[in-house]
Amino acid sequence: MKGLKNVLLALAVYMTVVGGLFLFAPRVAEVAFQTSLPDAALTPLYGQVVLVIALMAYLVSTDAAKYAKLAWAFVFAEAGHVLIFGWQLMSGISTFAQVGPPLIIAVIFLILLVAFNRQAKA
């Protein structure tokens, strides 16, 4: 259970950084992710949603034994990120510099979440 807790805490920290950038410093996010954020209305909304996901990951990590089933929501979220970033990369919508790092991070979180979630059930 400790492994799942640590992965969820790491996910919470990562999501807090990303969400904070999109919500409070969108120009810094543009530089960090090498992309343009043309929609001034959706960028802070995306940041707020990511911060809520970070809070959920933190809350689940505080009592991972009780909320282990909710870890599957994070598995599906990360799987969705892998699919979307992979599609953007393979279709040429985005470059590797733009989606490569978050794709790699999503793959790592996905593998860790699945592995530790299975371990928690055993």
Side-chain angles (χ1 to χ4, degrees), residues 4-119:
L4 181 60
K5 177 182 177 176
N6 290 337
V7 172
L8 288 169
L9 281 173
L11 182 65
V13 169
Y14 172 71
M15 292 293 201
T16 299
V17 171
V18 171
L21 284 175
F22 277 93
L23 183 60
F24 300 113
R27 299 305 146 233
V28 175
E30 283 184 325
V31 172
F33 299 115
Q34 298 182 6
T35 190
S36 64
L37 302 171
D39 195 332
L42 287 181
T43 299
L45 181 63
Y46 176 72
Q48 184 270 332
V49 168
V50 173
L51 286 173
V52 169
I53 293 170
L55 176 62
M56 288 174 32
Y58 171 75
L59 292 174
V60 170
S61 76
T62 60
D63 196 352
K66 184 175 180 181
Y67 298 110
K69 285 185 179 181
L70 287 177
W72 285 108
F74 299 105
V75 168
F76 286 105
E78 292 306 310
H81 287 146
V82 168
L83 290 173
I84 290 169
F85 289 138
W87 171 72
Q88 289 177 346
L89 183 61
M90 292 178 14
S91 67
I93 293 173
S94 300
T95 65
F96 185 80
Q98 293 170 315
V99 298
L103 173 63
I104 293 166
I105 291 168
V107 167
I108 291 169
F109 276 126
L110 178 60
I111 291 168
L112 291 173
L113 284 165
V114 169
F116 287 123
N117 201 23
R118 286 188 179 169
Q119 225 176 39

